[in-house]
Structures are given as structure tokens and as C-alpha cells.
Amino acid sequence: MAGNYETTSTPKRKMEGYPLFNTPSNSITQLKESGFDILTTSNNHCLDSRVEGIIDTIDALDTNGIKHTGTFKLGERPFLIVEKNDIKIGILAYSQMFNGMDPILSQEQRSMINPMNSEVMERDVKEL
């Protein structure tokens, strides 16, 4: 089962709702136990806990064995390809906006998010 993780999970921040979401990491464990195998992370809330939130969320997803795409650790941008019944499926995820939080990123850190850009999306589809 696949879904979109429309929050971050950073243990160093308290649990928060709107406008800057932060969800306890055990929610990812519960999603795994509920049957989620894949979560996309590119959405308007992926920067709510800043760069630390991207990294902590990815670490929690990895710890729980949930495949993911949409946000990335610095220097990493792997494609997500899953195989089921001898059929390979590529999954891509982009976000149209980041609630005005993207200016907090350095030029190098911008590779950690996936903004909608038709040229990049076309290139990714061809490469995938």
C-alpha cells in the first residue's frame, strides 16, 4: 500500500499541527504495521521541521522498512522502483509549493526537495 506522508517526524521537536506539522516517529511504525510499504514525502509540509526534518523522516522511514521518494538526503537522489509480480513500477513525487519555506535551503540543499518543474520531471521520467 502506498500513501503520502504529509508531515515530518523530528524527535527533537514537539508534536505540532498546523501550520508546521511534526508527528512522532512511532506514527511511521504504525503506518508500517497498518500495511504501508511506500510513502511519498514531497509535499507542502516536507520542510516544516527544516532540513533536520527531512533527514529524521527519511531515517525513520528507512528504520521501518518503508520505501520512499520525494525528499532526499544531501547528495542522494535515488529513483524508487518497486517490483511486484515481475512488473517494475517507478514512483516519482514532486510538490508544487513548500509553504514559503524553500528559501531556508542553501543552493546545495535544494537537491533535498523535489519541486515541480516540467523539464526535470520529463528528464526523470525518461531516465527512470
Side-chain angles (χ1 to χ4, degrees):
M1 183 166 27
N4 178 44
Y5 196 64
E6 186 108 2
T7 186
T8 57
S9 289
T10 302
K12 295 174 191 108
R13 277 189 59 217
K14 65 181 172 112
M15 184 173 73
E16 271 187 89
Y18 182 82
L20 298 174
F21 298 149
N22 189 52
T23 305
S25 298
N26 69 352
S27 68
I28 293 174
T29 303
Q30 292 167 352
L31 287 168
K32 179 66 175 181
E33 291 170 356
S34 298
F36 283 90
D37 306 298
I38 301 164
L39 291 172
T40 60
T41 55
S42 186
N43 57 65
N44 62 312
H45 290 288
C46 67
L47 286 172
D48 285 2
S49 296
R50 304 182 175 275
V51 169
E52 181 179 47
I54 290 173
I55 295 167
D56 288 346
T57 302
I58 289 170
D59 287 345
L61 291 166
D62 288 343
T63 296
N64 284 280
I66 296 179
K67 295 176 177 151
H68 53 87
T69 191
T71 56
F72 311 94
K73 289 186 176 180
L74 199 57
E76 299 178 2
R77 286 190 69 83
F79 285 124
L80 176 56
I81 301 171
V82 294
E83 188 170 344
K84 185 80 172 178
N85 300 326
D86 294 325
I87 299 171
K88 291 182 181 179
I89 301 168
I91 300 171
L92 299 168
Y94 305 87
S95 184
Q96 186 173 2
M97 65 177 178
F98 300 92
N99 292 343
M101 299 282 290
D102 41 324
I104 67 167
L105 300 174
S106 69
Q107 191 62 36
E108 183 182 30
Q109 291 170 330
R110 290 190 177 273
S111 66
M112 298 174 77
I113 61 173
N114 233 5
M116 290 181 81
N117 174 307
S118 58
E119 292 172 9
V120 171
M121 292 164 66
E122 185 176 337
R123 183 196 69 217
D124 287 352
V125 168
K126 286 178 181 176
E127 220 176 294
L128 187 63

